[in-house]
Amino acid sequence: MAPALPLLLAGPILRHCDQENFTLWLVTSAPLHDLDLYLGAEKSHLSQEEIHYFKLGERAHQYLIHLNRLELNPLNTSVDYRLIDSVHGDLFSAVDGLTYLNQTHPQFVIKPEIDKLLHGSCRNAHHHSGDALVACDTLLEQDLSETARPALLMLSGDQVYVDDVAGPMLFAIGKTIELLQLDDEHFQQTSLINSKQISYHPAAMYQRHKNLLPRTEYPAGSALVRWYINHPIFTSSIAENHLTSLAEITALYLLYWSPELWQLIDIPKHVSGLSAPNSSRWQREWTHLLEFKAGLTQVRRLLAHLPTYMIFDDHDITDDWNLTAKWEQAAYGHPFSKRIIGNALIGYALFQGIGNQPEKFKSEIIPKLTTFLASPDEPQHDALIDTLLTFERWHYSLNTSPKLVVLDTRTQRWRSESNLAKPSGLMDWEALMELQQQLVGQDKVIIVSAAPIFGVKLIEAVQGIATFFGASLLVDAENWMAHPGTANTLLSIFQHRKTPQQFVILSGDVHYSFAYDIGIRFRSMSPKIYQITSSGIKNQFPEKLLPVFDKLNGWLYGHFSPLNFFTKRKRMSIRGRRPNGHRSQRLINKSGVGLVTFSANGAPKQISVLHADNSQTQFNPPRNCKE
């Protein structure tokens, strides 16, 4: 007999919410019936058009509630919400730890004027650092007033790690698939006929890069790099437990967000059948996952109270996703690797993408997802993946002040014409022209780019050297300046006289944090540009290496260095902000979430990082610069 499950498996998570929209995501263990939604005192009986239902498995049912009405929500006012099922009653009333002190129901506030926001990326469940989303919950708990609340939480990539999965997490994924009776699927051109044959016994862990993941067969761009020949398509250096099936992807997302599921899974600390190094690795990962699990109740409370927006980066799908045209040829030309990527993209659509702006997905994506999940078969599975791989509306913008524009830097790549093994541009010409049209007429804007537009020049130089020798995959050579077409077009947008005078760029990806003040050289009326990078939420750069890069970058590419005039961004004046007033340090290597407050003109009034231990690092303006 299957064990009893709580009704609410994951959520509620607030997604796209403004004056006209209310979007709520949740997963239950049983189907819901005849739903009523209360927003404050206003009751709405939900129609079929307002409920997007996706059957994830026999005991897993996803609901995306989306209301779109004129003046649906009041502004700058706390509004509580309830979801009432005709059979089960109030779905959230019995959930432990869902509300803050003295609250009866979860609440939200609509703030069209962005005066404060939280942003971050890279949340790796088994990393040894703390989970900074827990600190965000603590921050919100300290002052729930409308003025103190951030307007939103922006998650700018790597919300999950499909390619870097701990052994104990993979064990938990197997148990979750069994508990929720998630669907099986058939595979092509691999040693497994279907996902039923996947073993989740600990002795089978840390082996997928050797005996399961497909491999390339194309020669290197350079004969010096033999690693390229017949290397794995999935290029993560820690892909030993890379996920493959849609059921695994579904289980991973639920385990990243659900406190309840972890209570039903007993993961052993000591296991047999592993090598001595992998046995030690299992125990380390087990310890870090226990710490991750301990914070999930607070993370859920945060996401239930703060409108949250998301965009993918590579680890949501796989490391180096679409890095080069050569990689794309190998990955999409193999049925099994295409299925692995497609399954991750289905997971992103279900658990992240659609909630950003459901209206964009209603005509094409939602009907196909619903039909396929209701009765999965191979032709529908492949057709859905083809649709998602050619979908061109993952990017979006919010009608806020400043306008918030979220970029898709993964699926609209500007492929290298000189050498298919060179890094592709993060956005192609057409996508950049669409971005420029969104910016014309705006006086202030917030741009969300997963990778920093203005990064650490020394690290970009190292990536450029590696690319020259044909090793772009080895160094993750993904930066905006790596592709000449993308770099020059983007810099032209910043220099265009009809684009905004205040740019704030929010980024993550790199596993360290920094902030730059940027202007255009030799122009008296230069726009003010701020590059703010906060990464990772639960991840860090190698501790001993980053201080070396920081110091060398300051020596070689400091504000007054003549080497800047030999770079693509030579017309830009870039000055690093000082963390906590430090004289020479510019990079912070400590997990955290960015916290930015804004002045009325759209300029950042305060730039800081809230760390997992509840401490803060504040980035002070450069000397002789006014905010």
Side-chain angles (χ1 to χ4, degrees), residues 121-161:
S121 71
C122 307
R123 184 169 176 250
N124 189 336
H126 66 272
H127 192 268
H128 63 78
S129 59
D131 188 348
L133 288 185
V134 176
C136 292
D137 173 77
T138 301
L139 178 73
L140 195 62
E141 183 180 32
Q142 290 170 353
D143 191 344
L144 292 169
S145 66
E146 291 83 356
T147 54
R149 278 192 194 219
L152 56 90
L153 168 63
M154 182 71 234
L155 300 177
S156 58
D158 300 342
Q159 278 67 256
V160 297
Y161 279 68

Side-chain angles (χ1 to χ4, degrees), residues 8 120 137 149 175 181 190 331 497:
L8 189 68
D137 173 77
R149 278 192 194 219
K175 292 297 183 183
Q181 299 174 25
T190 182
R497 296 187 182 274

Side-chain angles (χ1 to χ4, degrees), residues 515-531:
Y516 291 158
D517 288 29
I518 303 161
I520 299 174
R521 298 183 193 271
F522 318 119
R523 183 188 290 185
S524 58
M525 296 296 292
S526 167
K528 295 181 179 179
I529 305 168
Y530 304 88
Q531 170 70 67

